[in-house]
Amino acid sequence: MITDYGDSAVTSTFTLASTLFLLVYKQFHAALAILLAFCFAAICISLSKFAIYTGYIVLPNKFEIYSPSGHSAMSLAVYGTFAAIISSSQTGWRKIVPYLFFSSLIFLISISRVALANHTISDVIIGAVIGGIVLFCIWFVFLKDKVIHFCRLRFTLIPFIVAVTIHGIRFPAESLIRRFSQYFHSYMLS
């Protein structure tokens, strides 16, 4: 169940709902931050999977890297940005609460990928590194030293609304990237 929260169907809907909410509150930097976090993580993870599937990147098998975890990358980038947005207007101990909550969620999503045998630990680590780099860049450019004002209660309800309505729906991003890579690879060989 927890792994679904890292699926593209959930993270894309979560991103769209968060972006629209922030636009309504005229928080354009924050809206752009969460939208770009999703887009850049999706692009980076897609390109890395494409490079591995087509054979443009060949990794030694001793590392057991077969396909970087998109769930880990997307979760870290999107939910990490969400936590930074919520945390920006908090003070004291309340500033770390969003980070603790979303870090736990991201960790559980990542571990679930290994537990379900969808990815190796190395795949999850590579996905987390990709998501972490995206998160750091987004934070540094858009959120560092910014205080974002909006109705936090309504904003924090977004994940729960998305979770209830979208949970269980899956977007076949992995298989689409794999098929496109195979098609591209066979096209280039012919």
Side-chain angles (χ1 to χ4, degrees):
M1 177 179 124
I2 196 77
T3 199
D4 289 345
Y5 295 112
D7 191 86
S8 298
V10 175
T11 55
S12 61
T13 306
F14 180 89
T15 300
L16 181 62
S18 300
T19 301
L20 292 174
F21 181 91
L22 290 164
L23 288 174
V24 167
Y25 278 89
K26 296 183 176 31
Q27 298 299 321
F28 302 113
H29 273 89
L32 188 58
I34 199 158
L35 184 62
L36 289 177
F38 174 83
C39 292
F40 286 151
I43 289 167
C44 290
I45 203 71
S46 296
L47 288 175
S48 64
K49 287 176 182 276
F50 176 79
I52 290 172
Y53 293 156
T54 56
Y56 288 113
I57 294 178
V58 179
L59 301 168
N61 200 14
K62 68 180 178 178
F63 295 118
E64 295 184 343
I65 300 171
Y66 303 106
S67 171
S69 173
H71 282 63
S72 296
M74 298 301 289
S75 297
L76 190 54
V78 171
Y79 297 138
T81 302
F82 191 80
I85 290 169
I86 293 171
S87 170
S88 73
S89 62
Q90 301 294 322
T91 58
W93 64 270
R94 291 182 188 182
K95 197 165 194 69
I96 64 166
V97 171
Y99 290 114
L100 291 175
F101 176 78
F102 284 104
S103 294
S104 300
L105 177 63
I106 294 162
F107 177 76
L108 291 172
I109 290 168
S110 297
I111 293 301
S112 74
R113 304 307 291 160
V114 176
L116 293 171
N118 291 7
H119 287 287
T120 63
I121 292 173
S122 299
D123 291 340
V124 168
I125 291 170
I126 296 297
V129 167
I130 291 169
I133 291 169
V134 169
L135 172 60
F136 176 77
C137 292
I138 292 297
W139 173 81
F140 189 77
V141 172
F142 292 99
L143 302 173
K144 182 182 175 191
D145 301 327
K146 297 247 190 305
V147 177
I148 301 159
H149 299 287
F150 54 89
C151 179
R152 286 184 305 277
L153 178 60
R154 290 183 189 153
F155 190 60
T156 54
L157 287 177
I158 290 172
F160 301 107
I161 293 168
V162 169
V164 170
T165 57
I166 303 298
H167 185 268
I169 297 174
R170 291 187 179 90
F171 181 73
E174 181 88 21
S175 61
L176 290 174
I177 295 168
R178 187 180 301 270
R179 274 191 250 141
F180 177 74
S181 301
Q182 290 168 344
Y183 172 77
F184 182 82
H185 188 66
S186 65
Y187 178 77
M188 293 305 286
L189 291 176
S190 58

